[in-house]
């Protein structure tokens, strides 16, 4: 999970349409003889499930992820940017505090990121579905690099950096990340294929947590040694390396939409040579939002993930407060607590990756994990020592991996590839606003009450939410 620092949103995913996979920027002409058109016409059958691929194209994908060159390049790109963003986040936060000493000024950056995410998430997702996704990622990475390097230059000025200039650049970096994220998320599905999505998402989550854990540790040391400008420079270089890796993918498989609308039509047979229908940008944007809220599973995810984040982020803040005021944790113990959530999350991700296809009743497993989170937070509120708290926090991270990762995996499998950019864009917009609501409310309560009863209240609310979610979203609960 991402921290509270305001950083670029570069991470940070049952419509059935007639579509095929074609490499981007490649001609659609075929060298097959005329009679091949008939076989192509029957390639899409009634068994062609949402988000899946025609059998012929699926066979072209590498059989294992370690042999999938495109996926490995995208994984490297994602990891490098995640690592670099931790340097940017630490450097920016320290610069704001050292320059202004004002929490309100830090809030300006956070609010700016949240508002931009809310306003432009769906626009960025629609762009990812309408344009060459590789080109979108390249443009976003190169733009982010230019803005970050400009910020590093301004921070290095001997007369001091203007606050307004850094805030403006931070906004531009956030916007670039907003366009990169849905293009990347949607590309992963087409690059690995439906049967490898679970393992791919597990590896991405493992990589994210490893890079964040290592990045925040190394970033603090780097800022202390070279200052904020030097740390931000590392992030600018990371975006350049990311762009280079995306460039070497050469092309990405794309699901092209033919005569598709946001309302799920019945499966039908369509010739591969039938030209796609082009809609206006606003039409595609509206279709994406409509699909996200009308499709049963997508709608459930739009509620579940933001509300889980709304509970999770304040609980992390309360854990830090309790570590100091209640458990009297030593610096070493405090560090272990900070590492316990990502370590638990990585352990859960590893199990999902290893057991991948053998996992059954994934919907019930995800819902059961959500139901377990509330009692775990109640247990944490009753802990009297740092040692006991660390074990509970580790278990929370482990359970949280199953309650979020499995939902994300199923979302990728259910949503057609040509709509995934828009769905992830809408999800990003909703996810951008949820943490701030929870943090604001819990911050006020924790100032008026002791943190333990507030943590217990969060646990009770989370349990009630999980029970209601299990009853209200059968599309998730019954998913196999």
């Amino acid at each position: 999970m991402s921290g509270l620092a305001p950083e670029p949103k570069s991470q940070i995913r049952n419509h059935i349409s007639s579509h095929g996979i074609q490499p981007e920027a490649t001609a659609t002409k075929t060298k097959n003889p005329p009679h091949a058109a008939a076989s192509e016409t029957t390639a899409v059958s009634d068994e062609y499930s949402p988000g899946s691929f025609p059998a012929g194209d699926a066979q072209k994908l590498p059989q294992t992820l370690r042999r999938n060159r495109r996926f490995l390049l995208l994984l490297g790109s994602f990891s490098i940017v995640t690592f670099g963003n931790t340097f940017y986040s630490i450097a920016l936060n320290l610069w704001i505090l050292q320059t202004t000493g004002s929490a309100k000024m830090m809030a300006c950056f956070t609010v700016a990121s949240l508002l931009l995410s809310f306003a432009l998430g769906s626009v960025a997702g629609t762009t990812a579905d309408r344009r060459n996704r590789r080109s979108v990622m390249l443009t976003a990475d190169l733009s982010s690099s230019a803005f970050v390097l400009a910020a590093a230059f301004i921070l290095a000025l001997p007369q001091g950096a203007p606050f307004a200039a850094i805030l403006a650049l931070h906004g531009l970096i956030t916007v670039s990340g907003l366009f990169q994220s849905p293009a990347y998320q949607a590309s992963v599905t087409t690059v690995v294929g439906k049967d490898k999505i679970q393992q791919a998402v597990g590896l991405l989550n493992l990589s994210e947590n490893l890079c964040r854990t290592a990045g925040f540790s190394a970033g603090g040391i780097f800022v202390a040694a070279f200052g904020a400008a030097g740390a931000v420079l590392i992030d600018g270089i990371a975006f350049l390396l990311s762009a280079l890796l995306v460039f070497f993918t050469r092309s990405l498989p794309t699901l092209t939409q033919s005569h598709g609308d946001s309302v799920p039509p019945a499966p039908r047979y369509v010739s591969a040579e039938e030209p796609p229908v082009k809609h206006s940008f606003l039409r595609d944007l509206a279709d994406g939002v409509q699909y996200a809220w009308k499709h049963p599973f997508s709608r459930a995810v739009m509620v579940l993930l933001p509300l889980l984040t709304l509970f999770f982020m304040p609980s992390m803040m309360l854990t830090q407060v309790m570590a100091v005021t209640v458990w009297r944790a030593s610096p070493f113990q405090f560090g272990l607590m900070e590492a316990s959530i990502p370590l638990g999350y990585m352990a859960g991700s590893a199990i999902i990756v290893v057991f991948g296809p053998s996992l059954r009743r994934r919907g019930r497993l995800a819902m059961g994990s959500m139901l377990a989170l509330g009692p775990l937070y109640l247990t944490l509120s009753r802990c009297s020592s740092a040692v006991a708290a660390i074990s509970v926090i580790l278990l929370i991270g482990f359970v949280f991996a199953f309650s979020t990762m499995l939902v994300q995996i199923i979302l990728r499998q259910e949503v057609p590839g040509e709509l995934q950019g828009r769905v992830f864009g809408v999800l990003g917009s909703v996810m951008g606003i949820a943490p701030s609501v929870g943090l604001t409310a819990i911050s006020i309560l924790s100032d008026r009450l002791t943190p333990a009863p507030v943590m217990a209240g969060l646990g009770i609310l989370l349990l009630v939410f999980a029970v209601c979610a299990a009853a209200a979203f059968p599309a998730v609960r019954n998913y196999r």
Side-chain angles (χ1 to χ4, degrees), residues 136-313:
V136 172
M137 287 188 283
L138 277 173
T139 302
D141 279 341
L142 292 174
S143 299
S144 294
S145 180
F147 297 140
V148 171
L149 292 175
F153 175 78
I154 293 175
L155 288 171
L157 292 176
Q159 66 270 28
F163 186 86
I166 298 298
L167 179 60
L169 285 170
H170 177 73
L172 292 171
I173 295 166
T174 300
V175 171
S176 296
L178 285 172
F179 281 86
Q180 191 267 1
S181 182
Y184 176 87
Q185 300 289 353
S187 295
V188 168
T189 303
T190 58
V191 162
V192 303
K194 181 181 178 181
D195 59 332
K196 299 292 189 301
I197 290 174
Q198 186 157 303
Q199 292 172 292
V201 174
L203 287 173
L204 289 172
N205 279 273
L206 274 172
S207 173
E208 179 179 8
N209 282 278
L210 284 170
C211 290
R212 286 187 179 279
T213 302
F216 279 122
S217 302
I221 298 172
F222 201 91
V223 171
F226 301 100
V232 172
L233 179 65
I234 295 296
D235 192 33
I237 296 173
F239 277 113
L240 282 177
L241 292 175
S242 172
L244 191 64
L245 292 176
V246 172
F247 175 79
F248 282 129
T249 60
R250 298 179 186 173
S251 64
L252 297 175
T254 295
L255 290 171
T256 55
Q257 183 176 354
S258 301
H259 299 287
D261 296 309
S262 60
V263 180
R268 64 191 188 90
Y269 301 99
V270 179
S271 171
E273 297 182 357
E274 187 174 349
V277 173
K278 296 293 289 184
H279 297 143
S280 69
F281 186 91
L282 290 178
R283 166 71 183 276
D284 280 346
L285 190 152
D287 284 352
V289 174
Q290 182 185 20
Y291 176 88
W293 291 107
K294 282 193 172 183
H295 185 277
F297 195 92
S298 177
R299 181 172 63 249
V301 173
M302 295 298 157
V303 175
L304 291 176
L305 290 185
L307 286 179
L308 278 174
T309 306
L310 184 148
F311 286 112
F312 184 76
M313 297 301 288

Side-chain angles (χ1 to χ4, degrees), residues 341-365:
I341 289 289
L343 285 175
Y345 200 92
M346 283 188 284
S349 301
I351 289 177
I352 293 173
V353 170
V354 171
F355 291 97
S358 63
L359 287 177
R360 295 292 181 266
R361 298 186 181 277
R362 289 175 294 173
R364 292 189 180 183
L365 186 56

